[in-house]
């Protein structure tokens, strides 16, 4: 694992944008695995700026997002499709029909999970997967549990995640209780992974990356088994190296 310590959120965003742009420069038709949340917003802003300045071309890129809420209308301002439109897709020359998220409103959610997993597999999995991390160590919506799902699946959100995400909704009651997410296996099949973290509430999750243990109660620790992970973090999130 490579750890890149940044001064602040702005520098973290710039470094992550550079890594993503390097992937597109090497492979113009790259498959990018994308994430939502407040962590990557600054990186998306950098990508939009660079696109405007003619520094990056998304015309051959395909994107696959990690997750989507279940039973939240796709046009809702907090759906992850809306997040991606507002933060990236509406501002760059990505073909909308080359942007994929799970359909959290499908009539048969289990069938949709199987379809999405196959779609990502047929694309050859992500060339680069961007990840944030939950305060409790979740990645995508792979929440702490005794066992973790390998493939895309429907999952119940932990009360702590509902609470954390309630800042985006009018009240905690309005946060969807379920989501569809790539599994740990879908994520681990990405060729490269860039994990981003900002703020002191992520310090504990990053510190667990030094544990040498893959602990399903801290799903991010599974990344220790991936051969190409770069962790980009700011001062406040800096892990404490215990060994
Ligand atoms: C959300 C998302 C994750 C994200 C995480 C952290 O619930 N499903 O993909 O990484 O929580 O969010 P934030 O970046 O806002 O701290």
């Amino acid at each position: 694992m490579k750890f890149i310590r940044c001064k602040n959120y702005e520098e973290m965003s710039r470094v992550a944008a550079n890594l993503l742009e390097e992937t597109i420069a090497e492979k113009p038709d790259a498959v990018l695995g994308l994430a939502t949340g407040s962590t990557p917003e600054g990186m998306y802003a950098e990508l939009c700026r660079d696109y405007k300045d003619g520094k990056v071309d998304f015309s051959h890129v395909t994107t696959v997002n990690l997750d989507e809420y279940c039973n939240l209308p796709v046009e809702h301002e907090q759906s992850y499709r809306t997040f991606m439109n507002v933060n990236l897709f509406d501002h760059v020359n990505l073909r909308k029909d080359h942007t994929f998220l799970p359909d959290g409103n499908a009539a048969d959610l289990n069938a949709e999970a199987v379809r999405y997993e196959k779609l990502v597999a047929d694309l050859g999995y992500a060339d680069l997967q961007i990840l944030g991390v939950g305060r409790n160590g979740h990645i995508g919506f792979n929440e702490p549990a005794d066992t973790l799902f390998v493939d895309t699946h429907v999952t119940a959100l932990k009360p702590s995640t509902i609470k954390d995400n309630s800042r985006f909704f009018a009240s905690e009651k309005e946060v969807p209780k379920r989501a569809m997410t790539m599994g740990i296996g879908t994520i681990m099949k990405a060729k490269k992974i860039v994990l981003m973290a900002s703020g002191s509430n992520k310090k504990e999750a990053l510190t667990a990356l030094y544990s040498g243990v893959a602990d399903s109660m801290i799903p991010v620790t599974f990344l220790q088994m991936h051969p190409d992970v770069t962790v980009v973090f700011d001062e406040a999130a800096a892990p404490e190296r215990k060994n």
Side-chain angles (χ1 to χ4, degrees):
M1 269 193 182
K2 194 170 158 195
F3 288 83
I4 304 180
R5 186 179 182 127
C6 302
K7 279 200 303 289
N8 50 31
Y9 180 82
E10 288 67 36
E11 191 180 311
M12 176 200 70
S13 303
R14 187 61 251 168
V15 169
N18 287 348
L19 291 169
L20 201 140
E21 288 176 19
E22 276 166 26
T23 299
I24 301 174
E26 276 164 27
K27 189 175 178 193
D29 61 348
V31 176
L32 301 178
L34 300 179
T36 52
S38 48
T39 310
E41 276 178 0
M43 175 193 74
Y44 292 132
E46 293 290 321
L47 293 175
C48 292
R49 190 168 317 134
D50 287 350
Y51 168 70
K52 252 200 199 142
D53 293 345
K55 293 182 186 157
V56 56
D57 174 16
F58 292 92
S59 61
H60 299 291
V61 166
T62 298
T63 67
V64 286
N65 263 77
L66 280 170
D67 48 13
E68 178 60 283
Y69 289 118
C70 289
N71 308 115
L72 187 69
V74 74
E75 61 282 355
H76 189 284
E77 59 170 13
Q78 291 304 330
S79 81
Y80 285 171
R81 165 61 77 179
T82 301
F83 175 100
M84 291 311 304
N85 286 342
V86 169
N87 285 282
L88 183 70
F89 298 162
D90 287 348
H91 311 288
V92 299
N93 65 338
L94 254 168
R95 284 178 51 171
K96 276 269 172 82
D97 61 339
H98 284 182
T99 65
F100 300 101
L101 286 90
D103 177 2
N105 291 293
D108 182 341
L109 289 171
N110 290 330
E112 168 59 12
V114 170
R115 185 198 69 87
Y116 194 71
E117 182 68 27
K118 184 171 180 322
L119 183 147
V120 179
D122 288 348
L123 288 168
Y125 297 97
D127 289 295
L128 180 141
Q129 175 68 55
I130 298 286
L131 290 181
V133 59
R135 184 162 52 96
N136 64 6
H138 75 230
I139 48 177
F141 270 128
N142 291 274
E143 294 277 34
D146 289 341
T147 55
L148 298 175
F149 282 87
V150 175
D151 292 343
T152 302
H153 59 284
V154 177
T155 185
L157 305 190
K158 289 268 177 197
S160 62
T161 299
I162 292 175
K163 194 158 191 269
D164 284 350
N165 289 5
S166 67
R167 69 190 194 276
F168 300 116
F169 291 82
S171 73
E172 209 171 304
K173 266 203 331 276
E174 286 180 32
V175 183
K177 307 287 175 284
R178 293 191 305 163
M180 191 176 299
T181 180
M182 285 185 186
I184 287 287
T186 332
I187 294 169
M188 293 285 280
K189 285 171 195 136
K191 293 171 194 75
K192 278 185 192 178
I193 294 177
V194 171
L195 172 67
M196 303 174 69
S198 165
S200 56
N201 58 341
K202 304 297 170 71
K203 197 185 205 44
E204 209 177 312
L206 291 201
T207 299
L209 292 174
Y210 286 108
S211 66
V213 172
D215 180 354
S216 65
M217 295 309 288
I218 316 174
V220 72
T221 56
F222 276 63
L223 298 183
Q224 294 171 101
M225 293 188 280
H226 191 282
D228 192 346
V229 177
T230 303
V231 189
V232 188
F233 55 95
D234 64 11
E235 288 289 346
E240 276 161 25
R241 203 168 174 165
K242 290 178 177 158
N243 49 19

